[in-house]
Amino acid sequence: MTSTLADVMSRAKALLLDFDGPVCSLFATYSAPAVAERLRQVAAAQGFNATANEPLALLREVDEVGDAVLSRVVAQAVRDAEIEAAAGATPTPGIEELLHAARAGQLRIAIVSNNATEAVTAYLKRARLNEHVDLVVGRYENMPAQLLKPNPHLLNLALDHLSIAADVAVFVGDSVTDVKAGHATGVQTIGFANKPGKRERLNAAGAVTVIDRLAALTDASIPGISRLK
């Protein structure tokens, strides 16, 4: 680790969280490969032979074609599949405790995700976490795939809506694209290594520190945040 959690959080006024990983396992019951297969069929019906085996990768692949109708149809199918997946998503251990602690510490809380806003809000409502979250910034209708993370666009939108400067925000993400987006925005990014091999990749990408459980954030000596014991 290059910094302690206390170092990272000492000046934080906002906690930004990626969705799929830090908040829940979106594709726990409706797997990403199964979603991608469904999306390839949607693309094929529009005359395009998509090859990606992950939903967001397929969305990017389709967007690069430059066919507005194809992009719109596939984007709507991705959104609908993510909403369906959200109905069976499972919570990441420790997320509720972390949100309670951040709220107690008077941090602003935002979910910043490449997944569709509708899927994120549907899950938060089902899991009864929506009351702890100030803002959801996700993929929106007609958003070009090139603006997905690692592009800083979504993080910048979150900061603007919260009226929070980048240097007093902390972002928690489980992918290299999250870390790159954080760097591009100027937000300190904590890597969440929830699967084998991620710690090394997130460290290499430049995460300021890497955790493998959300309880590490909740239990850290973070000024203003009450420990939940």
Side-chain angles (χ1 to χ4, degrees), residues 20 26-43 50 52-59 74-86 115 139:
D20 184 18
L26 177 58
F27 299 107
T29 58
Y30 186 10
S31 74
V35 171
E37 172 58 28
R38 170 174 158 183
L39 297 174
R40 286 194 295 269
Q41 293 173 8
V42 171
N53 59 6
E54 190 276 331
L56 293 179
L58 192 145
L59 187 61
V74 171
Q76 290 172 347
V78 176
R79 177 202 62 203
D80 293 346
E82 288 175 342
I83 293 171
E84 185 176 345
N115 300 120
R139 195 180 70 252

PDB file of all heavy atoms in Angstrom, residues 20 26-43 50 52-59 74-86 115 139:
ATOM      1  N   ASP A  20     -21.022  -2.154  -9.430  1.00  0.00           N
ATOM      2  CA  ASP A  20     -20.832  -3.598  -9.554  1.00  0.00           C
ATOM      3  C   ASP A  20     -19.475  -3.968  -8.988  1.00  0.00           C
ATOM      4  O   ASP A  20     -18.434  -3.745  -9.606  1.00  0.00           O
ATOM      5  CB  ASP A  20     -20.936  -4.018 -11.024  1.00  0.00           C
ATOM      6  CG  ASP A  20     -20.851  -5.528 -11.212  1.00  0.00           C
ATOM      7  OD1 ASP A  20     -21.058  -6.258 -10.229  1.00  0.00           O
ATOM      8  OD2 ASP A  20     -20.592  -5.964 -12.350  1.00  0.00           O
ATOM      9  N   LEU A  26     -23.578  -7.505  -9.374  1.00  0.00           N
ATOM     10  CA  LEU A  26     -24.725  -7.268 -10.239  1.00  0.00           C
ATOM     11  C   LEU A  26     -25.153  -8.535 -10.968  1.00  0.00           C
ATOM     12  O   LEU A  26     -26.352  -8.814 -11.103  1.00  0.00           O
ATOM     13  CB  LEU A  26     -24.394  -6.166 -11.249  1.00  0.00           C
ATOM     14  CG  LEU A  26     -25.461  -5.844 -12.291  1.00  0.00           C
ATOM     15  CD1 LEU A  26     -26.776  -5.427 -11.627  1.00  0.00           C
ATOM     16  CD2 LEU A  26     -24.976  -4.753 -13.240  1.00  0.00           C
ATOM     17  N   PHE A  27     -24.189  -9.310 -11.437  1.00  0.00           N
ATOM     18  CA  PHE A  27     -24.508 -10.483 -12.260  1.00  0.00           C
ATOM     19  C   PHE A  27     -24.442 -11.787 -11.468  1.00  0.00           C
ATOM     20  O   PHE A  27     -24.065 -12.830 -11.995  1.00  0.00           O
ATOM     21  CB  PHE A  27     -23.586 -10.526 -13.471  1.00  0.00           C
ATOM     22  CG  PHE A  27     -23.718  -9.314 -14.362  1.00  0.00           C
ATOM     23  CD1 PHE A  27     -22.722  -8.346 -14.399  1.00  0.00           C
ATOM     24  CD2 PHE A  27     -24.848  -9.138 -15.135  1.00  0.00           C
ATOM     25  CE1 PHE A  27     -22.855  -7.227 -15.208  1.00  0.00           C
ATOM     26  CE2 PHE A  27     -24.993  -8.021 -15.955  1.00  0.00           C
ATOM     27  CZ  PHE A  27     -23.992  -7.060 -15.987  1.00  0.00           C
ATOM     28  N   ALA A  28     -24.826 -11.726 -10.198  1.00  0.00           N
ATOM     29  CA  ALA A  28     -24.745 -12.910  -9.334  1.00  0.00           C
ATOM     30  C   ALA A  28     -25.660 -14.027  -9.801  1.00  0.00           C
ATOM     31  O   ALA A  28     -25.312 -15.207  -9.715  1.00  0.00           O
ATOM     32  CB  ALA A  28     -25.090 -12.521  -7.894  1.00  0.00           C
ATOM     33  N   THR A  29     -26.854 -13.685 -10.296  1.00  0.00           N
ATOM     34  CA  THR A  29     -27.812 -14.712 -10.704  1.00  0.00           C
ATOM     35  C   THR A  29     -28.102 -14.688 -12.197  1.00  0.00           C
ATOM     36  O   THR A  29     -28.733 -15.608 -12.719  1.00  0.00           O
ATOM     37  CB  THR A  29     -29.133 -14.554  -9.933  1.00  0.00           C
ATOM     38  OG1 THR A  29     -29.680 -13.241 -10.172  1.00  0.00           O
ATOM     39  CG2 THR A  29     -28.903 -14.725  -8.440  1.00  0.00           C
ATOM     40  N   TYR A  30     -27.672 -13.653 -12.878  1.00  0.00           N
ATOM     41  CA  TYR A  30     -27.827 -13.550 -14.327  1.00  0.00           C
ATOM     42  C   TYR A  30     -26.451 -13.191 -14.857  1.00  0.00           C
ATOM     43  O   TYR A  30     -26.080 -12.031 -14.893  1.00  0.00           O
ATOM     44  CB  TYR A  30     -28.866 -12.496 -14.670  1.00  0.00           C
ATOM     45  CG  TYR A  30     -29.234 -12.372 -16.146  1.00  0.00           C
ATOM     46  CD1 TYR A  30     -28.823 -13.304 -17.089  1.00  0.00           C
ATOM     47  CD2 TYR A  30     -30.015 -11.302 -16.584  1.00  0.00           C
ATOM     48  CE1 TYR A  30     -29.163 -13.178 -18.415  1.00  0.00           C
ATOM     49  CE2 TYR A  30     -30.368 -11.160 -17.922  1.00  0.00           C
ATOM     50  CZ  TYR A  30     -29.942 -12.104 -18.830  1.00  0.00           C
ATOM     51  OH  TYR A  30     -30.281 -11.968 -20.156  1.00  0.00           O
ATOM     52  N   SER A  31     -25.681 -14.187 -15.224  1.00  0.00           N
ATOM     53  CA  SER A  31     -24.252 -14.000 -15.466  1.00  0.00           C
ATOM     54  C   SER A  31     -23.960 -13.060 -16.632  1.00  0.00           C
ATOM     55  O   SER A  31     -24.740 -12.961 -17.591  1.00  0.00           O
ATOM     56  CB  SER A  31     -23.587 -15.351 -15.726  1.00  0.00           C
ATOM     57  OG  SER A  31     -23.924 -15.830 -17.012  1.00  0.00           O
ATOM     58  N   ALA A  32     -22.823 -12.379 -16.534  1.00  0.00           N
ATOM     59  CA  ALA A  32     -22.408 -11.472 -17.594  1.00  0.00           C
ATOM     60  C   ALA A  32     -22.266 -12.178 -18.940  1.00  0.00           C
ATOM     61  O   ALA A  32     -22.690 -11.637 -19.969  1.00  0.00           O
ATOM     62  CB  ALA A  32     -21.105 -10.778 -17.208  1.00  0.00           C
ATOM     63  N   PRO A  33     -21.693 -13.399 -19.002  1.00  0.00           N
ATOM     64  CA  PRO A  33     -21.636 -14.095 -20.291  1.00  0.00           C
ATOM     65  C   PRO A  33     -23.018 -14.382 -20.868  1.00  0.00           C
ATOM     66  O   PRO A  33     -23.221 -14.300 -22.085  1.00  0.00           O
ATOM     67  CB  PRO A  33     -20.883 -15.389 -19.954  1.00  0.00           C
ATOM     68  CG  PRO A  33     -20.038 -15.032 -18.786  1.00  0.00           C
ATOM     69  CD  PRO A  33     -20.885 -14.099 -17.980  1.00  0.00           C
ATOM     70  N   ALA A  34     -23.981 -14.726 -20.005  1.00  0.00           N
ATOM     71  CA  ALA A  34     -25.344 -14.973 -20.485  1.00  0.00           C
ATOM     72  C   ALA A  34     -25.970 -13.700 -21.019  1.00  0.00           C
ATOM     73  O   ALA A  34     -26.665 -13.709 -22.046  1.00  0.00           O
ATOM     74  CB  ALA A  34     -26.192 -15.558 -19.361  1.00  0.00           C
ATOM     75  N   VAL A  35     -25.722 -12.597 -20.338  1.00  0.00           N
ATOM     76  CA  VAL A  35     -26.218 -11.293 -20.821  1.00  0.00           C
ATOM     77  C   VAL A  35     -25.591 -10.967 -22.165  1.00  0.00           C
ATOM     78  O   VAL A  35     -26.269 -10.529 -23.102  1.00  0.00           O
ATOM     79  CB  VAL A  35     -25.912 -10.183 -19.798  1.00  0.00           C
ATOM     80  CG1 VAL A  35     -26.230  -8.810 -20.394  1.00  0.00           C
ATOM     81  CG2 VAL A  35     -26.709 -10.393 -18.517  1.00  0.00           C
ATOM     82  N   ALA A  36     -24.279 -11.181 -22.281  1.00  0.00           N
ATOM     83  CA  ALA A  36     -23.587 -10.879 -23.533  1.00  0.00           C
ATOM     84  C   ALA A  36     -24.134 -11.712 -24.691  1.00  0.00           C
ATOM     85  O   ALA A  36     -24.269 -11.214 -25.819  1.00  0.00           O
ATOM     86  CB  ALA A  36     -22.086 -11.106 -23.371  1.00  0.00           C
ATOM     87  N   GLU A  37     -24.449 -12.984 -24.412  1.00  0.00           N
ATOM     88  CA  GLU A  37     -25.028 -13.834 -25.458  1.00  0.00           C
ATOM     89  C   GLU A  37     -26.360 -13.267 -25.929  1.00  0.00           C
ATOM     90  O   GLU A  37     -26.637 -13.221 -27.131  1.00  0.00           O
ATOM     91  CB  GLU A  37     -25.205 -15.252 -24.923  1.00  0.00           C
ATOM     92  CG  GLU A  37     -25.969 -16.193 -25.861  1.00  0.00           C
ATOM     93  CD  GLU A  37     -25.331 -16.325 -27.230  1.00  0.00           C
ATOM     94  OE1 GLU A  37     -24.089 -16.168 -27.358  1.00  0.00           O
ATOM     95  OE2 GLU A  37     -26.072 -16.587 -28.202  1.00  0.00           O
ATOM     96  N   ARG A  38     -27.173 -12.838 -25.003  1.00  0.00           N
ATOM     97  CA  ARG A  38     -28.445 -12.213 -25.355  1.00  0.00           C
ATOM     98  C   ARG A  38     -28.221 -10.952 -26.185  1.00  0.00           C
ATOM     99  O   ARG A  38     -28.933 -10.709 -27.172  1.00  0.00           O
ATOM    100  CB  ARG A  38     -29.197 -11.882 -24.068  1.00  0.00           C
ATOM    101  CG  ARG A  38     -30.438 -11.012 -24.217  1.00  0.00           C
ATOM    102  CD  ARG A  38     -31.127 -10.911 -22.876  1.00  0.00           C
ATOM    103  NE  ARG A  38     -31.980  -9.755 -22.752  1.00  0.00           N
ATOM    104  CZ  ARG A  38     -32.642  -9.430 -21.647  1.00  0.00           C
ATOM    105  NH1 ARG A  38     -32.532 -10.191 -20.571  1.00  0.00           N
ATOM    106  NH2 ARG A  38     -33.407  -8.357 -21.592  1.00  0.00           N
ATOM    107  N   LEU A  39     -27.232 -10.178 -25.828  1.00  0.00           N
ATOM    108  CA  LEU A  39     -26.946  -8.936 -26.546  1.00  0.00           C
ATOM    109  C   LEU A  39     -26.401  -9.211 -27.946  1.00  0.00           C
ATOM    110  O   LEU A  39     -26.685  -8.466 -28.892  1.00  0.00           O
ATOM    111  CB  LEU A  39     -25.957  -8.087 -25.749  1.00  0.00           C
ATOM    112  CG  LEU A  39     -26.450  -7.615 -24.375  1.00  0.00           C
ATOM    113  CD1 LEU A  39     -25.339  -6.905 -23.628  1.00  0.00           C
ATOM    114  CD2 LEU A  39     -27.660  -6.697 -24.519  1.00  0.00           C
ATOM    115  N   ARG A  40     -25.602 -10.265 -28.078  1.00  0.00           N
ATOM    116  CA  ARG A  40     -25.105 -10.615 -29.412  1.00  0.00           C
ATOM    117  C   ARG A  40     -26.266 -10.973 -30.330  1.00  0.00           C
ATOM    118  O   ARG A  40     -26.248 -10.664 -31.532  1.00  0.00           O
ATOM    119  CB  ARG A  40     -24.103 -11.774 -29.319  1.00  0.00           C
ATOM    120  CG  ARG A  40     -22.744 -11.369 -28.758  1.00  0.00           C
ATOM    121  CD  ARG A  40     -21.678 -12.436 -28.994  1.00  0.00           C
ATOM    122  NE  ARG A  40     -21.970 -13.664 -28.267  1.00  0.00           N
ATOM    123  CZ  ARG A  40     -21.539 -13.913 -27.032  1.00  0.00           C
ATOM    124  NH1 ARG A  40     -20.817 -13.011 -26.381  1.00  0.00           N
ATOM    125  NH2 ARG A  40     -21.828 -15.056 -26.436  1.00  0.00           N
ATOM    126  N   GLN A  41     -27.292 -11.613 -29.783  1.00  0.00           N
ATOM    127  CA  GLN A  41     -28.475 -11.932 -30.579  1.00  0.00           C
ATOM    128  C   GLN A  41     -29.219 -10.668 -30.987  1.00  0.00           C
ATOM    129  O   GLN A  41     -29.716 -10.568 -32.111  1.00  0.00           O
ATOM    130  CB  GLN A  41     -29.385 -12.861 -29.775  1.00  0.00           C
ATOM    131  CG  GLN A  41     -28.798 -14.245 -29.532  1.00  0.00           C
ATOM    132  CD  GLN A  41     -29.652 -15.079 -28.597  1.00  0.00           C
ATOM    133  OE1 GLN A  41     -30.762 -14.702 -28.234  1.00  0.00           O
ATOM    134  NE2 GLN A  41     -29.131 -16.239 -28.192  1.00  0.00           N
ATOM    135  N   VAL A  42     -29.288  -9.708 -30.094  1.00  0.00           N
ATOM    136  CA  VAL A  42     -29.927  -8.421 -30.413  1.00  0.00           C
ATOM    137  C   VAL A  42     -29.155  -7.725 -31.532  1.00  0.00           C
ATOM    138  O   VAL A  42     -29.752  -7.213 -32.497  1.00  0.00           O
ATOM    139  CB  VAL A  42     -29.983  -7.518 -29.166  1.00  0.00           C
ATOM    140  CG1 VAL A  42     -30.430  -6.103 -29.535  1.00  0.00           C
ATOM    141  CG2 VAL A  42     -30.923  -8.114 -28.120  1.00  0.00           C
ATOM    142  N   ALA A  43     -27.830  -7.716 -31.412  1.00  0.00           N
ATOM    143  CA  ALA A  43     -27.012  -7.085 -32.446  1.00  0.00           C
ATOM    144  C   ALA A  43     -27.147  -7.819 -33.776  1.00  0.00           C
ATOM    145  O   ALA A  43     -27.215  -7.181 -34.843  1.00  0.00           O
ATOM    146  CB  ALA A  43     -25.546  -7.051 -32.002  1.00  0.00           C
ATOM    147  N   ALA A  50     -21.547  -9.163 -33.377  1.00  0.00           N
ATOM    148  CA  ALA A  50     -20.743  -8.752 -32.225  1.00  0.00           C
ATOM    149  C   ALA A  50     -19.999  -9.959 -31.667  1.00  0.00           C
ATOM    150  O   ALA A  50     -20.480 -11.087 -31.730  1.00  0.00           O
ATOM    151  CB  ALA A  50     -21.638  -8.138 -31.159  1.00  0.00           C
ATOM    152  N   ALA A  52     -17.877  -9.544 -28.504  1.00  0.00           N
ATOM    153  CA  ALA A  52     -17.519  -9.342 -27.093  1.00  0.00           C
ATOM    154  C   ALA A  52     -18.332 -10.277 -26.205  1.00  0.00           C
ATOM    155  O   ALA A  52     -19.499 -10.577 -26.486  1.00  0.00           O
ATOM    156  CB  ALA A  52     -17.746  -7.889 -26.694  1.00  0.00           C
ATOM    157  N   ASN A  53     -17.718 -10.721 -25.108  1.00  0.00           N
ATOM    158  CA  ASN A  53     -18.401 -11.648 -24.203  1.00  0.00           C
ATOM    159  C   ASN A  53     -18.670 -11.034 -22.839  1.00  0.00           C
ATOM    160  O   ASN A  53     -18.849 -11.751 -21.847  1.00  0.00           O
ATOM    161  CB  ASN A  53     -17.609 -12.950 -24.048  1.00  0.00           C
ATOM    162  CG  ASN A  53     -16.214 -12.714 -23.510  1.00  0.00           C
ATOM    163  OD1 ASN A  53     -15.860 -11.598 -23.147  1.00  0.00           O
ATOM    164  ND2 ASN A  53     -15.420 -13.766 -23.465  1.00  0.00           N
ATOM    165  N   GLU A  54     -18.690  -9.712 -22.802  1.00  0.00           N
ATOM    166  CA  GLU A  54     -19.001  -8.977 -21.575  1.00  0.00           C
ATOM    167  C   GLU A  54     -19.867  -7.790 -21.982  1.00  0.00           C
ATOM    168  O   GLU A  54     -19.598  -7.128 -23.004  1.00  0.00           O
ATOM    169  CB  GLU A  54     -17.696  -8.526 -20.908  1.00  0.00           C
ATOM    170  CG  GLU A  54     -17.845  -7.954 -19.505  1.00  0.00           C
ATOM    171  CD  GLU A  54     -18.220  -6.478 -19.510  1.00  0.00           C
ATOM    172  OE1 GLU A  54     -17.855  -5.760 -20.476  1.00  0.00           O
ATOM    173  OE2 GLU A  54     -18.894  -6.038 -18.555  1.00  0.00           O
ATOM    174  N   PRO A  55     -20.945  -7.489 -21.246  1.00  0.00           N
ATOM    175  CA  PRO A  55     -21.927  -6.492 -21.708  1.00  0.00           C
ATOM    176  C   PRO A  55     -21.367  -5.121 -22.063  1.00  0.00           C
ATOM    177  O   PRO A  55     -21.680  -4.591 -23.136  1.00  0.00           O
ATOM    178  CB  PRO A  55     -22.902  -6.407 -20.527  1.00  0.00           C
ATOM    179  CG  PRO A  55     -22.833  -7.754 -19.885  1.00  0.00           C
ATOM    180  CD  PRO A  55     -21.400  -8.188 -20.017  1.00  0.00           C
ATOM    181  N   LEU A  56     -20.536  -4.541 -21.204  1.00  0.00           N
ATOM    182  CA  LEU A  56     -20.036  -3.199 -21.497  1.00  0.00           C
ATOM    183  C   LEU A  56     -19.031  -3.219 -22.649  1.00  0.00           C
ATOM    184  O   LEU A  56     -18.968  -2.277 -23.447  1.00  0.00           O
ATOM    185  CB  LEU A  56     -19.422  -2.579 -20.250  1.00  0.00           C
ATOM    186  CG  LEU A  56     -20.408  -2.264 -19.126  1.00  0.00           C
ATOM    187  CD1 LEU A  56     -19.685  -1.678 -17.925  1.00  0.00           C
ATOM    188  CD2 LEU A  56     -21.502  -1.312 -19.600  1.00  0.00           C
ATOM    189  N   ALA A  57     -18.255  -4.292 -22.744  1.00  0.00           N
ATOM    190  CA  ALA A  57     -17.333  -4.428 -23.873  1.00  0.00           C
ATOM    191  C   ALA A  57     -18.114  -4.521 -25.178  1.00  0.00           C
ATOM    192  O   ALA A  57     -17.721  -3.958 -26.202  1.00  0.00           O
ATOM    193  CB  ALA A  57     -16.444  -5.654 -23.695  1.00  0.00           C
ATOM    194  N   LEU A  58     -19.237  -5.231 -25.135  1.00  0.00           N
ATOM    195  CA  LEU A  58     -20.068  -5.346 -26.330  1.00  0.00           C
ATOM    196  C   LEU A  58     -20.682  -4.000 -26.680  1.00  0.00           C
ATOM    197  O   LEU A  58     -20.767  -3.622 -27.863  1.00  0.00           O
ATOM    198  CB  LEU A  58     -21.155  -6.394 -26.105  1.00  0.00           C
ATOM    199  CG  LEU A  58     -21.924  -6.846 -27.350  1.00  0.00           C
ATOM    200  CD1 LEU A  58     -22.291  -8.323 -27.242  1.00  0.00           C
ATOM    201  CD2 LEU A  58     -23.175  -6.019 -27.561  1.00  0.00           C
ATOM    202  N   LEU A  59     -21.078  -3.255 -25.676  1.00  0.00           N
ATOM    203  CA  LEU A  59     -21.627  -1.919 -25.913  1.00  0.00           C
ATOM    204  C   LEU A  59     -20.602  -1.023 -26.599  1.00  0.00           C
ATOM    205  O   LEU A  59     -20.926  -0.295 -27.542  1.00  0.00           O
ATOM    206  CB  LEU A  59     -22.067  -1.306 -24.582  1.00  0.00           C
ATOM    207  CG  LEU A  59     -22.816   0.023 -24.634  1.00  0.00           C
ATOM    208  CD1 LEU A  59     -24.118  -0.107 -25.401  1.00  0.00           C
ATOM    209  CD2 LEU A  59     -23.081   0.531 -23.213  1.00  0.00           C
ATOM    210  N   VAL A  74     -29.014  -1.698 -29.038  1.00  0.00           N
ATOM    211  CA  VAL A  74     -28.178  -2.497 -28.148  1.00  0.00           C
ATOM    212  C   VAL A  74     -28.066  -1.831 -26.776  1.00  0.00           C
ATOM    213  O   VAL A  74     -28.129  -2.502 -25.743  1.00  0.00           O
ATOM    214  CB  VAL A  74     -26.790  -2.738 -28.765  1.00  0.00           C
ATOM    215  CG1 VAL A  74     -25.846  -3.385 -27.743  1.00  0.00           C
ATOM    216  CG2 VAL A  74     -26.910  -3.622 -30.003  1.00  0.00           C
ATOM    217  N   ALA A  75     -27.930  -0.512 -26.743  1.00  0.00           N
ATOM    218  CA  ALA A  75     -27.839   0.193 -25.460  1.00  0.00           C
ATOM    219  C   ALA A  75     -29.099  -0.022 -24.633  1.00  0.00           C
ATOM    220  O   ALA A  75     -29.035  -0.227 -23.408  1.00  0.00           O
ATOM    221  CB  ALA A  75     -27.598   1.677 -25.687  1.00  0.00           C
ATOM    222  N   GLN A  76     -30.248   0.004 -25.276  1.00  0.00           N
ATOM    223  CA  GLN A  76     -31.499  -0.242 -24.557  1.00  0.00           C
ATOM    224  C   GLN A  76     -31.562  -1.680 -24.049  1.00  0.00           C
ATOM    225  O   GLN A  76     -32.042  -1.935 -22.936  1.00  0.00           O
ATOM    226  CB  GLN A  76     -32.691   0.057 -25.471  1.00  0.00           C
ATOM    227  CG  GLN A  76     -32.860   1.538 -25.767  1.00  0.00           C
ATOM    228  CD  GLN A  76     -33.924   1.819 -26.828  1.00  0.00           C
ATOM    229  OE1 GLN A  76     -34.380   0.909 -27.528  1.00  0.00           O
ATOM    230  NE2 GLN A  76     -34.322   3.067 -26.950  1.00  0.00           N
ATOM    231  N   ALA A  77     -31.038  -2.617 -24.845  1.00  0.00           N
ATOM    232  CA  ALA A  77     -31.019  -4.017 -24.426  1.00  0.00           C
ATOM    233  C   ALA A  77     -30.074  -4.218 -23.243  1.00  0.00           C
ATOM    234  O   ALA A  77     -30.369  -5.004 -22.327  1.00  0.00           O
ATOM    235  CB  ALA A  77     -30.612  -4.909 -25.591  1.00  0.00           C
ATOM    236  N   VAL A  78     -28.938  -3.527 -23.247  1.00  0.00           N
ATOM    237  CA  VAL A  78     -27.999  -3.608 -22.118  1.00  0.00           C
ATOM    238  C   VAL A  78     -28.666  -3.064 -20.861  1.00  0.00           C
ATOM    239  O   VAL A  78     -28.609  -3.679 -19.788  1.00  0.00           O
ATOM    240  CB  VAL A  78     -26.695  -2.844 -22.417  1.00  0.00           C
ATOM    241  CG1 VAL A  78     -25.792  -2.859 -21.188  1.00  0.00           C
ATOM    242  CG2 VAL A  78     -25.964  -3.443 -23.603  1.00  0.00           C
ATOM    243  N   ARG A  79     -29.311  -1.916 -21.004  1.00  0.00           N
ATOM    244  CA  ARG A  79     -30.017  -1.325 -19.856  1.00  0.00           C
ATOM    245  C   ARG A  79     -31.048  -2.294 -19.290  1.00  0.00           C
ATOM    246  O   ARG A  79     -31.093  -2.538 -18.078  1.00  0.00           O
ATOM    247  CB  ARG A  79     -30.698  -0.030 -20.288  1.00  0.00           C
ATOM    248  CG  ARG A  79     -31.541   0.653 -19.198  1.00  0.00           C
ATOM    249  CD  ARG A  79     -32.569   1.574 -19.817  1.00  0.00           C
ATOM    250  NE  ARG A  79     -33.502   0.838 -20.664  1.00  0.00           N
ATOM    251  CZ  ARG A  79     -34.212   1.392 -21.652  1.00  0.00           C
ATOM    252  NH1 ARG A  79     -34.092   2.677 -21.925  1.00  0.00           N
ATOM    253  NH2 ARG A  79     -35.045   0.654 -22.368  1.00  0.00           N
ATOM    254  N   ASP A  80     -31.863  -2.861 -20.160  1.00  0.00           N
ATOM    255  CA  ASP A  80     -32.918  -3.772 -19.706  1.00  0.00           C
ATOM    256  C   ASP A  80     -32.330  -5.017 -19.033  1.00  0.00           C
ATOM    257  O   ASP A  80     -32.865  -5.506 -18.027  1.00  0.00           O
ATOM    258  CB  ASP A  80     -33.807  -4.178 -20.882  1.00  0.00           C
ATOM    259  CG  ASP A  80     -34.620  -3.013 -21.425  1.00  0.00           C
ATOM    260  OD1 ASP A  80     -34.699  -1.965 -20.753  1.00  0.00           O
ATOM    261  OD2 ASP A  80     -35.157  -3.144 -22.551  1.00  0.00           O
ATOM    262  N   ALA A  81     -31.231  -5.535 -19.590  1.00  0.00           N
ATOM    263  CA  ALA A  81     -30.591  -6.717 -19.007  1.00  0.00           C
ATOM    264  C   ALA A  81     -29.997  -6.392 -17.642  1.00  0.00           C
ATOM    265  O   ALA A  81     -30.059  -7.206 -16.708  1.00  0.00           O
ATOM    266  CB  ALA A  81     -29.509  -7.244 -19.947  1.00  0.00           C
ATOM    267  N   GLU A  82     -29.429  -5.211 -17.495  1.00  0.00           N
ATOM    268  CA  GLU A  82     -28.862  -4.812 -16.206  1.00  0.00           C
ATOM    269  C   GLU A  82     -29.959  -4.636 -15.152  1.00  0.00           C
ATOM    270  O   GLU A  82     -29.768  -4.984 -13.985  1.00  0.00           O
ATOM    271  CB  GLU A  82     -28.049  -3.530 -16.363  1.00  0.00           C
ATOM    272  CG  GLU A  82     -26.736  -3.742 -17.103  1.00  0.00           C
ATOM    273  CD  GLU A  82     -25.990  -2.442 -17.357  1.00  0.00           C
ATOM    274  OE1 GLU A  82     -26.602  -1.352 -17.282  1.00  0.00           O
ATOM    275  OE2 GLU A  82     -24.785  -2.512 -17.647  1.00  0.00           O
ATOM    276  N   ILE A  83     -31.095  -4.079 -15.563  1.00  0.00           N
ATOM    277  CA  ILE A  83     -32.225  -3.950 -14.630  1.00  0.00           C
ATOM    278  C   ILE A  83     -32.687  -5.335 -14.187  1.00  0.00           C
ATOM    279  O   ILE A  83     -32.966  -5.567 -13.002  1.00  0.00           O
ATOM    280  CB  ILE A  83     -33.380  -3.164 -15.281  1.00  0.00           C
ATOM    281  CG1 ILE A  83     -32.966  -1.701 -15.514  1.00  0.00           C
ATOM    282  CG2 ILE A  83     -34.635  -3.229 -14.412  1.00  0.00           C
ATOM    283  CD1 ILE A  83     -33.962  -0.909 -16.336  1.00  0.00           C
ATOM    284  N   GLU A  84     -32.759  -6.266 -15.141  1.00  0.00           N
ATOM    285  CA  GLU A  84     -33.143  -7.636 -14.813  1.00  0.00           C
ATOM    286  C   GLU A  84     -32.126  -8.271 -13.870  1.00  0.00           C
ATOM    287  O   GLU A  84     -32.488  -8.944 -12.898  1.00  0.00           O
ATOM    288  CB  GLU A  84     -33.277  -8.450 -16.088  1.00  0.00           C
ATOM    289  CG  GLU A  84     -33.782  -9.865 -15.883  1.00  0.00           C
ATOM    290  CD  GLU A  84     -34.005 -10.608 -17.188  1.00  0.00           C
ATOM    291  OE1 GLU A  84     -34.052  -9.962 -18.255  1.00  0.00           O
ATOM    292  OE2 GLU A  84     -34.135 -11.852 -17.135  1.00  0.00           O
ATOM    293  N   ALA A  85     -30.851  -8.057 -14.145  1.00  0.00           N
ATOM    294  CA  ALA A  85     -29.800  -8.608 -13.288  1.00  0.00           C
ATOM    295  C   ALA A  85     -29.863  -8.017 -11.883  1.00  0.00           C
ATOM    296  O   ALA A  85     -29.604  -8.709 -10.890  1.00  0.00           O
ATOM    297  CB  ALA A  85     -28.431  -8.352 -13.907  1.00  0.00           C
ATOM    298  N   ALA A  86     -30.217  -6.739 -11.796  1.00  0.00           N
ATOM    299  CA  ALA A  86     -30.273  -6.066 -10.494  1.00  0.00           C
ATOM    300  C   ALA A  86     -31.292  -6.704  -9.564  1.00  0.00           C
ATOM    301  O   ALA A  86     -31.143  -6.659  -8.334  1.00  0.00           O
ATOM    302  CB  ALA A  86     -30.591  -4.586 -10.678  1.00  0.00           C
ATOM    303  N   ASN A 115     -22.706   1.127 -15.300  1.00  0.00           N
ATOM    304  CA  ASN A 115     -23.998   0.479 -15.485  1.00  0.00           C
ATOM    305  C   ASN A 115     -25.102   1.525 -15.593  1.00  0.00           C
ATOM    306  O   ASN A 115     -24.923   2.674 -15.185  1.00  0.00           O
ATOM    307  CB  ASN A 115     -24.288  -0.475 -14.334  1.00  0.00           C
ATOM    308  CG  ASN A 115     -23.253  -1.570 -14.204  1.00  0.00           C
ATOM    309  OD1 ASN A 115     -22.604  -1.692 -13.174  1.00  0.00           O
ATOM    310  ND2 ASN A 115     -23.077  -2.356 -15.249  1.00  0.00           N
ATOM    311  N   ARG A 139     -24.678   5.245 -16.415  1.00  0.00           N
ATOM    312  CA  ARG A 139     -24.843   5.385 -17.871  1.00  0.00           C
ATOM    313  C   ARG A 139     -26.273   5.856 -18.157  1.00  0.00           C
ATOM    314  O   ARG A 139     -27.225   5.354 -17.595  1.00  0.00           O
ATOM    315  CB  ARG A 139     -24.580   4.041 -18.539  1.00  0.00           C
ATOM    316  CG  ARG A 139     -24.370   4.118 -20.044  1.00  0.00           C
ATOM    317  CD  ARG A 139     -24.118   2.739 -20.646  1.00  0.00           C
ATOM    318  NE  ARG A 139     -25.303   1.888 -20.635  1.00  0.00           N
ATOM    319  CZ  ARG A 139     -25.475   0.838 -19.834  1.00  0.00           C
ATOM    320  NH1 ARG A 139     -24.552   0.492 -18.955  1.00  0.00           N
ATOM    321  NH2 ARG A 139     -26.583   0.111 -19.887  1.00  0.00           N
TER     322      ARG A 139
END
